Amino acid sequence: MDNLSRRGLLTGAGALLAAGSLGVPAAQASALALPATKRFKMSATTNEFFRHKPLWGPKVMQSMAFDTPNQRIFAVQLRSETGENSGTLTMSRLDFSGNVVGHMYLTGFGHGVAIGVEPVGTTSYLWTETDADPANGRGRRIARFPWQNGATLTETSSSLKSYKPVSDGSVFTCTVDQRYKRLAVRYSQGGRMRINLYPLAEANRGIFTTVLASFAQPALTSGVPFQGWAVYGAYAYFWEGSAYPGDPDETKANSKLWCYDINAGKIVDSFLTLAGKSLTYREPEGMAVYGTTDATARLYFGFASGVAGDRRANFFYRNDLV
């Protein structure tokens, strides 16, 4: 759960990245437009991928990501024996049946609201936040590192490269648009949450001077926790909602999917979903895109289920593009 959104970091759409921040000047950024793409339909048929699967640790899943070419899934949780503000994460690797086939520990990295994967041959490079702020457990930088089963990484591990793509930004998370080969970075700047898109080929070399798009995250539902985000082409997707304890009373469900048109600068679709309404606890957690073509593309959204001390992961998806 992204609790910071409850304290006012989620605000309405506003001006583009201010001149003087790392990246292109505001005047140039405002003239940019992403090539037109299709978008996922929020009210499309819900497909269930897997239900009530244990991860390596017992806490709720925060987010997930797919290595599409290598058919791998990664999911992160806060590590059970550490405090939430320590920023220590457990990362599980899953197969496509939802079985855990490996794990890593990320010490002092952040909260895990979003992660990304960059496939390079048969190697999965993970993109995450890192350098957790002890005041709130959120990342002050972003990191890229290869999957290493059984490893424990810190921010100074030799296999890891870390970056601060926006010099005056904080509360960083990131994800990868594998289809369009972009790194998306969400961050707080001047009291609002923003998202920048960068060419992945430059970002993986630590270059963040080309900003393909920059926008303020739009206002979603007031008072409802922010739970995940993803980018596919010219659209950003947001996921929100809170848990309810095993009662399929539809009036308690507030799990909502949102689609934002980056070029138009506005929300173009939303849907209150009852997917997994019979799950015990049912807390929305995590959003990710699978696929490297429109024909294979899926927008996944997750739920945590189960009881405290034994939380489980559940994946559902949309695959209708319009």
Side-chain angles (χ1 to χ4, degrees), residues 15-305:
L16 289 168
L17 188 64
S21 298
L22 189 60
V24 298
Q28 181 181 345
S30 62
L32 297 177
L34 298 171
T37 65
K38 292 184 176 182
R39 63 175 175 84
F40 292 100
K41 184 179 180 181
M42 299 293 90
S43 61
T45 301
T46 297
N47 300 280
E48 182 175 321
F49 193 57
F50 57 67
R51 180 181 291 246
H52 204 57
K53 296 290 187 177
L55 301 178
W56 186 262
K59 300 198 80 172
V60 298
M61 176 183 70
Q62 296 293 331
S63 62
M64 68 286 210
F66 292 82
D67 178 337
T68 300
N70 293 304
Q71 296 290 284
R72 297 168 185 157
I73 306 170
F74 300 91
V76 293
Q77 314 152 270
L78 292 172
R79 192 169 177 181
S80 57
E81 59 266 38
T82 59
E84 290 209 3
N85 284 358
S86 73
T88 297
L89 301 172
T90 298
M91 179 175 285
S92 300
R93 178 180 153 188
L94 311 176
D95 63 23
F96 272 51
S97 296
N99 302 308
V100 175
V101 294
H103 76 283
M104 293 179 71
Y105 293 125
L106 310 177
T107 303
F109 273 52
H111 195 77
V113 173
I115 60 173
V117 187
E118 177 190 351
V120 180
T122 59
T123 301
S124 300
Y125 280 86
L126 282 304
W127 284 90
T128 70
E129 66 199 282
T130 192
D131 186 26
D133 186 336
N136 56 32
R138 306 306 171 109
R140 294 177 287 196
R141 299 171 67 85
I142 62 172
R144 178 183 185 264
F145 56 91
W147 169 259
Q148 302 166 67
N149 188 35
T152 298
L153 298 189
T154 69
E155 210 241 334
T156 60
S157 294
S158 60
S159 62
L160 177 147
K161 300 286 181 65
S162 72
Y163 313 104
K164 191 167 187 178
V166 180
S167 59
D168 60 345
S170 62
V171 193
F172 285 96
T173 58
C174 53
T175 191
V176 172
D177 182 344
Q178 291 178 33
R179 166 76 192 278
Y180 294 96
K181 301 188 185 311
R182 296 169 185 152
L183 178 73
V185 178
R186 180 177 179 260
Y187 61 98
S188 175
Q189 182 189 56
R192 66 176 64 200
M193 299 305 298
R194 303 191 59 86
I195 293 174
N196 288 2
L197 302 185
Y198 304 95
L200 185 58
E202 293 184 9
N204 64 26
R205 293 182 286 127
I207 300 170
F208 295 93
T209 52
T210 304
V211 182
L212 300 172
S214 181
F215 57 96
Q217 183 174 306
L220 304 179
T221 306
S222 178
V224 176
F226 181 83
Q227 300 289 17
W229 65 284
V231 172
Y232 185 77
Y235 296 89
Y237 299 89
F238 304 106
W239 181 218
E240 66 176 17
S242 53
Y244 67 92
D247 182 349
D249 178 359
E250 296 179 6
T251 64
K252 295 183 178 180
N254 61 359
S255 305
K256 197 166 188 177
L257 300 158
W258 298 83
C259 176
Y260 178 83
D261 184 328
I262 297 170
N263 289 330
K266 64 181 182 180
I267 294 288
V268 292
D269 197 5
S270 63
F271 187 74
L272 184 70
T273 180
L274 297 175
K277 69 178 184 178
S278 64
L279 293 171
T280 298
Y281 185 68
R282 192 185 179 270
E283 183 176 17
E285 296 284 0
M287 177 175 261
V289 175
Y290 167 90
T292 54
T293 66
D294 282 350
T296 59
R298 297 176 177 180
L299 177 67
Y300 281 84
F301 51 99
F303 291 98
S305 63

